Amino acid sequence: MNLADLVERVKRHPDFRKAGMVLCHNGVVRETPGSGCQPPGSAGGLVDHLVVKVDHAKLAEVVARHKRMPGIIEILAEIAEGRKLSVGDDIMMLVVAGDVRTNVIPVMTSLIDEIKATVTGKTEVRRND
């Protein structure tokens, strides 16, 4: 996964000349478990690594639906899956290109939320498990 490569791919889209914004998301493995609201060392300790599973059909559906939203030109998504991801490793990279920020930012937020809720599943392994 390479964010710069995704941005370059978006820039080659035939309608990119209509873009006024390219918004990027780079999700990484953090050491705090779950929502990050638990204090370090609680609920079994800090994260050692995690493994992500992806429903690729659902990902394609979610991306396609978000591409149809007003002002959106292109969306690219890459998610690391099926391997041990350590703290600091990249989990998910998203790039959304669109006309103006008032269209692009809400789409990115919705896209992240929906992918996390319906497309991906993760198994966290804690340091003292």
Side-chain angles (χ1 to χ4, degrees):
M1 291 191 325
N2 184 303
L3 196 53
D5 290 345
L6 289 176
V7 171
E8 285 306 312
R9 282 178 48 203
V10 164
K11 287 182 174 185
R12 290 193 298 268
H13 189 281
D15 290 331
F16 186 74
R17 67 188 179 282
K18 298 175 186 174
M21 179 178 205
V22 176
L23 187 59
C24 303
H25 168 80
N26 183 8
V28 299
V29 179
R30 67 175 179 269
E31 72 176 356
T32 53
S35 66
C37 296
Q38 301 167 346
S42 69
L46 300 175
V47 172
D48 178 70
H49 67 274
L50 59 84
V51 177
V52 177
K53 293 173 72 175
V54 178
D55 179 336
H56 292 279
K58 183 69 176 174
L59 177 61
E61 172 191 319
V62 168
V63 169
R65 187 165 23 80
H66 282 80
K67 281 184 182 181
R68 292 191 298 269
M69 293 183 172
I72 301 304
I73 295 162
E74 180 65 292
I75 297 173
L76 297 177
E78 288 190 8
I79 304 171
E81 79 170 318
R83 61 183 175 88
K84 179 177 161 180
L85 298 170
S86 299
V87 172
D89 285 349
D90 298 323
I91 301 172
M92 176 169 63
M93 294 185 179
L94 303 172
V95 177
V96 178
D99 56 359
V100 295
R101 70 179 179 273
T102 54
N103 286 331
V104 177
I105 292 171
V107 167
M108 177 65 88
T109 301
S110 173
L111 185 64
I112 293 168
D113 290 345
E114 192 165 348
I115 288 172
K116 289 185 75 164
T118 68
V119 172
T120 60
K122 66 180 179 183
T123 302
E124 289 181 341
V125 176
R126 310 282 173 82
R127 286 187 195 163
N128 58 351
D129 284 354

